[in-house]
Amino acid sequence: MLTTDDWDAIKKCALFKAMDPADFGDLIDAGSVVKLSRNQQLFAHGDPARALFLIVSGQVKLTRLAADGSEAVVHVFGAGETFAEAAMFMGGRYPVAATAIMDTRLIAISNGRLRAQVLVKPEIAFAMLASMAQHLKALVAQIEQMKLMTTKQRVARFLLDHAGKTDGAANFTLPHDKALIANRLGMQPETFSRALAQLTSHGIVVAGAEVSIEDVGRLTRVLSFE
Amino acid sequence: MLTTDDWDAIKKCALFKAMDPADFGDLIDAGSVVKLSRNQQLFAHGDPARALFLIVSGQVKLTRLAADGSEAVVHVFGAGETFAEAAMFMGGRYPVAATAIMDTRLIAISNGRLRAQVLVKPEIAFAMLASMAQHLKALVAQIEQMKLMTTKQRVARFLLDHAGKTDGAANFTLPHDKALIANRLGMQPETFSRALAQLTSHGIVVAGAEVSIEDVGRLTRVLSFE
DNA sequence: ACCTTGACCTGATCTAGATCAAGGACTCGG
DNA sequence: CCGAGTCCTTGATCTAGATCAGGTCAAGGT
């Protein structure tokens, strides 16, 4: 059954801005709600793509699995975000696996139903294009980082991206486990831990998941030098 | 002035399948043709995004530049492909630089004009979504490769992707300079050269830009082991 | 013929980051 | 209060791949 929180999430979602809320019923019903517990998989690489998802609460990671069982985290999505839009246009198979990294509540939006709505409201297509453009940009940034930044720089970049400020002091909580962040940044947990330790000399303090940056501008300088 | 080759390219392009050729005139005129010589830049990272491009002949690389001048190749596009669709929905700036890697002829399609056409023919939006979904998939594959494959495996994967067969013998020509391929695969030219040399023992022969694979199945095995 | 210039290979060395191996520190259930 | 998970840190070692440094070869230009 859909709660008011669910409806709030749907109304706030960029994808459906163009839609008349009266038509939501055509897209979503009681069966659309999906609850996942920590580490539970939503879909695997190669599964038929029947829906895209909106996260109401929790977090989901998208990964690719290697032959030897190790995995590469492609992206982590949080509350309010939609993912797997692209699968709708991609030969009917998910190219990645999706797994909840904490207890997560999401809403499944059937590809078929959405297609029907797009025919009625082409503006939805624009919203999807914008969303996919964002994802593309994020992936390009990730590729750039892995190709031409050191681990230390990638960690600094990550911290700066999450500081939410461009100068002065900042503090925030790491969005998920350090091991997961490390994977996302393309490095081992040990390397991540050491990089954080090194950044202490650039004015950051990490206590558990709490990070405080003394001076964002100073940390930015790490990106250009060394 | 547009040649018949230009019109052929436009007609074949997936983006415009849905359009009535009679409306092409609203999108493209004599001023849309762009000619680039080898190594000439089409646009830089951060330039205002005014158009997307269709390649009639030649090849264009998309790159991100590092502070120290080194570059990361994000993708290489060839004849018949369109690129920079995403920029249309991404805050008006190109997130990458585009440079011709050989003499190249392309057609610029103004964002504004295309938007107008999409309002008339929403099917174009579907074609754009499909195209972007492809790009997304390619980037995800690239991230996966860099995160969990060795250089040798990446080279093998590259060769297999270009063999165009799934078993038996195959031969083909490398699509561009080895140094560029190396960059695309996230490694130095020296490493690429050495990886090719090592793959000799797995039944491949490289002479200049000509590659022949003795047995595609055998090369595939390199991906799972070592 | 002779010199560039650009693309490629090969060898020697170096190093960033992976891997292996121990501990802490925290939470949870009993 | 104790043991058993998780998660994280820290240290020692190893190695894939980068970097540095010559060379080879072919295509043009003078």
Side-chain angles (χ1 to χ4, degrees):
Chain A
M1 207 42 227
L2 276 90
T3 66
T4 51
D5 277 2
D6 293 340
W7 289 115
D8 276 357
I10 294 163
K11 270 177 227 151
K12 269 186 217 142
C13 170
L15 262 192
F16 307 123
K17 276 273 163 57
M19 272 180 72
D20 183 343
D23 295 333
F24 285 165
D26 295 340
L27 218 53
I28 295 152
D29 58 39
S32 304
V33 176
V34 180
K35 281 185 253 186
L36 296 175
S37 45
R38 181 182 161 78
N39 291 328
Q40 197 181 341
Q41 194 175 62
L42 177 60
F43 54 76
H45 167 249
D47 277 1
R50 304 180 332 277
L52 62 86
F53 301 89
L54 165 62
I55 302 178
V56 178
S57 65
Q59 288 180 325
V60 172
K61 66 176 175 184
L62 300 188
T63 57
R64 294 272 286 211
L65 248 76
D68 67 351
S70 60
E71 63 176 27
V73 175
V74 174
H75 205 91
V76 179
F77 290 100
E81 295 186 292
T82 53
F83 62 93
E85 293 99 328
M88 197 168 148
F89 300 94
M90 217 148 54
R93 301 266 159 191
Y94 293 115
V96 294
T99 310
I101 59 177
M102 55 171 66
D103 290 358
T104 297
R105 182 184 181 89
L106 20 82
I107 294 172
I109 292 132
S110 133
N111 285 350
R113 287 180 177 194
L114 184 56
R115 245 176 220 280
Q117 279 295 322
V118 171
L119 291 177
V120 181
K121 285 266 175 198
E123 292 89 340
I124 301 174
F126 276 92
M128 291 184 71
L129 281 163
S131 170
M132 278 173 61
Q134 277 315 114
H135 295 177
L136 259 166
K137 197 175 165 188
L139 293 187
V140 167
Q142 210 179 327
I143 289 172
E144 177 198 21
Q145 283 172 35
M146 305 230 315
K147 280 193 184 169
L148 33 82
M149 289 166 78
T150 65
T151 52
K152 198 171 163 185
Q153 288 175 320
R154 298 208 291 274
V155 171
R157 163 92 282 154
F158 178 86
L159 295 178
L160 288 167
D161 287 346
H162 288 260
K165 303 178 70 175
T166 53
D167 57 2
N171 37 281
F172 61 96
T173 308
L174 293 175
H176 25 256
D177 284 359
K178 289 181 186 175
L180 185 61
I181 297 174
N183 190 323
R184 190 137 91 78
L185 297 176
M187 67 188 72
Q188 295 309 118
E190 292 96 326
T191 306
F192 180 67
S193 179
R194 281 187 253 261
L196 282 178
Q198 280 185 61
L199 288 173
T200 300
S201 62
H202 296 271
I204 78 147
V205 181
V206 181
E210 297 302 318
V211 178
S212 50
I213 302 172
E214 204 179 88
D215 178 8
V216 171
R218 186 173 159 208
L219 187 54
T220 308
R221 252 164 278 138
V222 176
L223 300 178
S224 347
F225 308 107
E226 69 192 291
Chain B
M1 205 41 227
L2 277 90
T3 65
T4 51
D5 276 1
D6 293 339
W7 290 114
D8 276 357
I10 294 163
K11 271 177 227 152
K12 270 188 216 140
C13 169
L15 263 192
F16 307 122
K17 275 274 162 58
M19 274 180 70
D20 183 343
D23 296 332
F24 283 165
D26 297 338
L27 219 53
I28 295 153
D29 57 38
S32 304
V33 175
V34 181
K35 280 185 253 186
L36 297 174
S37 45
R38 181 180 161 78
N39 291 328
Q40 195 182 343
Q41 194 175 58
L42 177 60
F43 54 76
H45 167 249
D47 278 1
R50 304 179 334 278
L52 62 87
F53 301 90
L54 165 62
I55 302 178
V56 178
S57 65
Q59 289 180 323
V60 171
K61 66 176 175 185
L62 300 187
T63 57
R64 293 272 286 210
L65 248 76
D68 68 352
S70 60
E71 64 177 25
V73 175
V74 173
H75 205 91
V76 179
F77 290 100
E81 294 184 293
T82 52
F83 62 94
E85 294 99 328
M88 196 169 151
F89 301 91
M90 216 149 54
R93 303 264 159 192
Y94 292 116
V96 294
T99 311
I101 57 177
M102 55 171 66
D103 290 358
T104 297
R105 182 184 181 89
L106 18 82
I107 294 171
I109 294 134
S110 133
N111 285 350
R113 287 179 177 195
L114 184 56
R115 245 175 220 282
Q117 279 296 319
V118 171
L119 290 177
V120 182
K121 284 268 176 198
E123 292 88 339
I124 301 173
F126 276 91
M128 292 184 71
L129 282 163
S131 171
M132 279 173 61
Q134 277 316 115
H135 295 177
L136 259 164
K137 197 175 165 186
L139 292 187
V140 168
Q142 210 179 327
I143 289 172
E144 178 198 20
Q145 283 173 34
M146 305 231 314
K147 280 194 183 168
L148 31 83
M149 289 165 79
T150 65
T151 52
K152 199 169 160 184
Q153 288 175 319
R154 297 209 290 274
V155 171
R157 163 91 282 155
F158 177 86
L159 295 178
L160 289 166
D161 287 346
H162 288 260
K165 302 178 73 175
T166 53
D167 57 3
N171 37 282
F172 61 96
T173 308
L174 293 174
H176 25 257
D177 284 359
K178 290 182 185 175
L180 183 61
I181 297 173
N183 190 324
R184 190 137 91 80
L185 297 175
M187 66 188 71
Q188 296 308 118
E190 293 95 326
T191 307
F192 181 66
S193 177
R194 280 187 254 263
L196 282 179
Q198 279 185 61
L199 287 173
T200 300
S201 61
H202 296 271
I204 78 149
V205 180
V206 181
E210 297 302 319
V211 178
S212 50
I213 303 173
E214 203 178 88
D215 178 8
V216 171
R218 187 174 158 206
L219 186 54
T220 308
R221 252 164 277 139
V222 176
L223 299 178
S224 345
F225 308 106
E226 70 192 291

